[in-house]
Amino acid sequence: MNRIGHSEKIWLVLVGLTLAGAWLGEAGSAGWLLTFTVAFLIGFKGAVVTDHYMEMRLANTRIRRALFIFLSLVIALVIIGYGWGDEFRALTALD
């Protein structure tokens, strides 16, 4: 019988976190706790994917920094989108 390797274990954790995030999105009530939980899940999953599957630990520092900034921007946009979504919608309205 084949043993489950390290990559497969990480993949199973990522799938589990994705399913947990989908469940939270459907069953959870909107609020800051849910927003920060989703932001944390995005950050954790992004860090695992970039470190393990993309092997950014071994990459050039500038490339790692660019991916870290992108991931931070996505997390910030999730938080800003919940907290100040109405204000941004009003700023971008065409009327």
Side-chain angles (χ1 to χ4, degrees), residues 2-75:
N2 293 341
R3 293 180 53 105
I4 295 177
H6 184 67
S7 292
E8 289 83 8
K9 288 177 185 175
I10 291 175
W11 181 79
L12 288 172
V13 168
L14 291 171
V15 169
L17 290 174
T18 300
L19 293 174
W23 178 79
L24 281 173
E26 291 295 322
S29 60
W32 284 107
L33 179 61
L34 179 62
T35 302
F36 283 112
T37 303
V38 169
F40 171 78
L41 287 175
I42 290 170
F44 180 76
K45 287 171 34 179
V48 168
V49 168
T50 56
D51 284 346
H52 184 72
Y53 290 108
M54 296 174 68
E55 297 182 353
M56 284 294 127
R57 294 180 311 262
L58 309 173
N60 185 309
T61 305
R62 290 181 181 171
I63 296 172
R64 279 193 317 231
R65 190 175 298 134
L67 279 173
F68 176 75
I69 290 169
F70 173 76
L71 184 59
S72 299
L73 179 65
V74 170
I75 293 168

Side-chain angles (χ1 to χ4, degrees), residues 84-95:
W84 297 275
D86 293 334
E87 288 82 358
F88 280 104
R89 186 176 27 244
L91 287 174
T92 59
L94 296 176
D95 36 86

